[in-house]
Amino acid sequence: MALATAILRAGPGAVREAAAALAAGRLVAFPTETVYGLAADAGDDAAVAKLYAAKARPSFNPLIAHVASGTAIDGHGTGPPGAAAAAIAAAGRLARLNADALQLAAAFWPGPLTLVVPKLPACPVGSLATAGLDTIAVRAPNHPVARAILAAFAGPVVAPSANRSGGVSPTSAQHVIADLAGRIDMIIDGGTSPMGIESTVVACRDGHVALLRPGGIPRADVERVLGHPVAIAATAGDSHGSPRPQAPGMLASHYAPRARVRLNAVTVAAGEGLLAFGPVGPELAAAACRVLNLSVRGDTVEAAANLFGHLRLLDAAGVTSIAVMPVPEEGLGEAINDRLRHAAAPR
Ligand code: TXA
Ligand code: MG
């Protein structure tokens, strides 16, 4: 049965309503700096079960627990002093953070970094949310609306991206409405997610650090803080489709628009849409039925912010095949290329 989905513009009243709805076991989508999340009380198994159903997400794919980073509502940039410490304290009630995890959290929280760490026996987050694993993914988002809701709720919330499982992630309330209206209780509209690409997921256990998902914190920044290189963990998207990928959500086809996606395009076939990066030659522009540029000036930060919205716009324009120009692997390019490879994977 369809739910009436309340759509509220972000503000103090909406923050209070969102926190109350979460406490009542309801599903609330809200903006984070990366993408919009669909939140449920992490300690309420019935709410978590509804969340999996609303997204049509396979229950073997665990969720990220989001924690507060203090009570300030002005969380811009790296957050007010003390925000990282507050987030670390909140995460410490769920999981054991070793020295590597603490170092990364101190450097990047609140922000687009998710740590996969051993779950405490007394962790209030149930095994449905963590898909039965003995680890839990934890992140402290750095978006003023997300920070305010988490502070008001005063407990962990699980929040996957607020889209149908396997589809293009949402970077605006309109994207969430298009995917989930009638399936969730509330959407807090806080404008466009500034970063546009999900958090970097890093596993820290037994003195070993692995990058499970490239994201908003470039790998080089993680390596700079740790002082050594970090390997990318193999995922199911890579060649052999291992049945137990390290980040269980990283299935081959993911982030996929309706249109077919063709990578590293140097030519455009008749009728194809072009997802450009950097300057576009006249032949390419002329051949494409539609051209959207991730970043005319070739900036991977700008490209990340545009990626999911542009894929959705090309779908909305009725394009059936998207030719994607090459994006360099540097900076956020690693995360962009990861999402594009999944979008292009066989369905
Ligand atoms: O930026 C983000 O991280 C956004 C916003 C809303 O915070 N959230 C997000 O959640 O991207 P989701 O569910 O779409 O992606 C979570 C990823 C999945 O690949 C999942 O498999 C992985 O994190 N993950 C979660 N718990 C894990 C665990 N215990 N071990 C390994 N991977 C885990
Ligand atoms: Mg997702």
Side-chain angles (χ1 to χ4, degrees):
M1 205 187 69
L3 291 171
T5 303
I7 300 165
L8 279 63
R9 187 193 298 236
V15 165
R16 276 193 301 274
E17 288 209 36
L22 289 168
R26 304 211 168 92
L27 303 182
V28 179
F30 59 71
T32 83
E33 76 279 26
T34 58
V35 300
Y36 271 66
L38 176 60
D41 177 353
D44 180 343
D45 282 345
V48 174
K50 278 196 290 183
L51 191 159
Y52 278 102
K55 275 185 61 92
R57 178 177 176 114
S59 58
F60 58 77
N61 186 2
L63 305 170
I64 298 173
H66 291 61
V67 296
S69 46
T71 53
I73 310 187
D74 61 336
H76 290 292
T78 53
I88 289 168
R93 291 191 273 276
L94 313 181
R96 190 166 52 74
L97 276 62
N98 66 14
D100 290 325
L102 287 170
Q103 213 176 357
L104 291 171
F108 299 118
W109 279 358
L113 173 76
T114 294
L115 294 172
V116 171
V117 282
K119 198 176 170 180
L120 289 179
C123 178
V125 181
S127 62
L128 180 58
T130 51
L133 299 171
D134 59 1
T135 54
I136 184 168
V138 189
R139 133 166 158 87
N142 186 26
H143 184 290
V145 175
R147 293 188 69 221
I149 292 171
L150 288 165
F153 178 67
V157 307
V158 285
S161 51
N163 55 283
R164 297 284 189 118
S165 183
V168 179
S169 302
T171 53
S172 72
Q174 287 66 38
H175 296 162
V176 182
I177 292 167
D179 281 13
L180 296 177
R183 300 175 71 87
I184 65 177
D185 299 287
M186 189 179 288
I187 299 171
I188 308 300
D189 184 350
T192 303
S193 289
M195 181 149 262
I197 202 149
E198 291 89 345
S199 60
T200 301
V201 181
V202 176
C204 296
R205 66 185 308 175
D206 312 329
H208 182 74
V209 180
L211 181 65
L212 302 188
R213 179 179 72 182
I217 305 276
R219 188 205 331 213
D221 293 8
V222 171
E223 293 177 334
R224 187 171 35 72
V225 166
L226 293 174
H228 59 77
V230 172
I232 294 210
T235 72
D238 295 341
S239 58
H240 301 100
S242 142
R244 278 207 64 120
Q246 296 230 31
M250 301 309 279
L251 303 173
S253 175
H254 202 150
Y255 313 106
R258 264 198 315 277
R260 209 168 67 82
V261 175
R262 193 166 66 77
L263 300 182
N264 296 317
V266 287
T267 60
V268 173
E272 271 191 319
L274 178 65
L275 188 60
F277 180 87
V280 181
E283 294 102 277
L284 279 194
C289 68
R290 191 70 203 265
V291 181
L292 287 180
N293 205 318
L294 291 171
S295 172
V296 176
R297 63 175 193 272
D299 172 8
T300 55
V301 173
E302 182 182 33
N306 286 326
L307 177 66
F308 293 132
H310 280 12
L311 288 173
R312 284 174 178 265
L313 283 173
L314 289 167
D315 261 351
V319 168
T320 56
S321 176
I322 303 172
V324 186
M325 284 171 64
V327 176
E329 278 287 326
E330 69 222 23
L332 292 186
E334 188 168 42
I336 294 169
N337 285 321
D338 168 80
R339 305 304 187 271
L340 287 169
R341 271 194 298 278
H342 284 93
R347 313 263 167 99

